[in-house]
């Protein structure tokens, strides 16, 4: 093999490896690839929803609580709009909102909260049924975000991102959930990992 042939062969190997690596992230450039810890929580109907139940599905997650007086109402409104747009595109996506105030947010409270928005609970689970410490650790380990309820306070400090999770339960990407939510970008990213 002469020098130029060897150089072309090495270039071919490098390009092939690069393309295979891109396929491994399901086509999302700079995918986060966060592993989600196993979980089994209760939804607004008192039914168990686990990570295993979501395997094989694309889902979008966020962290909210029902007595939030700042970021949660706009986040839930934006997630409701995203749900509508994804349905219009014919894309099958689940939605999961983890309560960051589980000792206050019972399934009934979550259902009442969801009822304030024109959303569908057919493919959206509002989850609770864990301790404050559990959700603090779960958010940190799985989504690399903060959840903290200061002692004696009724408001919870938490992240405001939306997270796109692939069929293998890996966080692919995050997006602003409070303002200028990039609906078109999220829809395109969902199409990339279908």
């Amino acid at each position: 093999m002469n020098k130029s042939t060897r150089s072309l062969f090495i270039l071919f190997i490098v390009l092939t490896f690069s393309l295979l690596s891109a396929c491994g992230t399901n086509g999302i450039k700079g995918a986060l690839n966060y592993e989600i810890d196993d979980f089994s929580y209760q939804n607004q109907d008192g039914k168990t929803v686990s990570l295993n139940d979501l395997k094989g599905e694309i889902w979008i997650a966020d962290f909210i609580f029902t007595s939030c007086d700042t970021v949660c109402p706009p986040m839930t409104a934006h997630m409701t709009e995203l749900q509508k747009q994804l349905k219009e595109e014919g894309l099958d996506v689940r939605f999961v909102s983890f309560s960051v105030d589980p000792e206050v947010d019972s399934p009934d409270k979550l259902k009442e909260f969801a009822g304030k928005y024109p959303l569908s609970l057919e493919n959206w689970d509002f989850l609770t049924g864990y301790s404050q410490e559990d959700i603090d650790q779960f958010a940190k380990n799985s989504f690399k975000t903060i959840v903290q309820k200061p002692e004696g306070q009724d408001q919870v400090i938490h992240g405001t991102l939306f997270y796109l999770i692939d069929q293998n339960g890996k966080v692919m990407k995050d997006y602003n959930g409070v303002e200028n939510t990039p609906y078109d970008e999220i829809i395109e990213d969902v199409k990339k990992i279908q």
Side-chain angles (χ1 to χ4, degrees):
M1 188 182 298
N2 67 29
K3 194 173 185 179
S4 65
T5 305
R6 186 172 38 236
S7 296
L8 283 173
F9 180 73
I10 291 170
L11 180 63
F12 174 76
I13 296 295
V14 168
L15 287 172
T16 301
F17 181 74
S18 297
L19 287 172
L20 288 174
S21 295
C23 293
T25 59
N26 292 321
I28 293 184
K29 190 175 179 180
L32 299 171
N33 284 312
Y34 300 157
E35 291 276 351
I36 296 179
D37 289 349
D38 195 23
F39 67 85
S40 183
Y41 301 145
Q42 269 191 316
N43 75 3
Q44 69 280 350
D45 295 318
K47 294 180 181 168
T48 300
V49 176
S50 69
L51 179 60
N52 201 47
D53 294 328
L54 297 167
K55 287 281 170 109
E57 301 203 48
I58 296 169
W59 48 293
I60 296 172
D62 70 351
F63 293 86
I64 55 96
F65 63 110
T66 62
S67 58
C68 175
D69 56 19
T70 55
V71 295
C72 302
M75 286 175 68
T76 305
H78 292 145
M79 192 78 99
T80 300
E81 176 61 23
L82 181 58
Q83 182 188 45
K84 178 182 153 226
Q85 288 190 29
L86 284 163
K87 184 175 182 179
E88 286 170 358
E89 289 282 331
L91 297 168
D92 187 18
V93 176
R94 295 269 304 261
F95 294 85
V96 178
S97 292
F98 295 95
S99 169
V100 296
D101 198 9
E103 289 161 21
V104 172
D105 288 344
S106 65
D108 286 343
K109 261 196 119 162
L110 288 169
K111 194 165 196 169
E112 182 185 329
F113 176 80
K116 297 175 183 175
Y117 299 88
L119 57 83
S120 170
L121 290 173
E122 277 183 31
N123 62 335
W124 194 336
D125 293 294
F126 287 82
L127 299 182
T128 190
Y130 37 81
S131 71
Q132 189 67 50
E133 186 180 338
D134 285 344
I135 193 61
D136 296 358
Q137 284 304 309
F138 177 74
K140 181 180 174 185
N141 294 343
S142 299
F143 293 90
K144 315 301 181 226
T145 191
I146 188 171
V147 170
Q148 185 179 17
K149 186 172 185 179
E151 202 169 319
Q153 300 286 320
D154 67 346
Q155 294 298 292
V156 182
I157 300 163
H158 65 95
T160 58
L161 298 173
F162 290 171
Y163 299 91
L164 175 62
I165 297 97
D166 75 1
Q167 299 91 330
N168 300 310
K170 283 192 176 182
V171 178
M172 291 284 103
K173 201 166 175 183
D174 57 34
Y175 315 86
N176 190 324
V178 179
E179 54 188 23
N180 302 318
T181 300
Y183 303 115
D184 292 342
E185 180 184 345
I186 298 170
I187 290 166
E188 287 309 307
D189 288 339
V190 166
K191 288 176 180 175
K192 287 176 189 173
I193 64 171
Q194 271 190 315

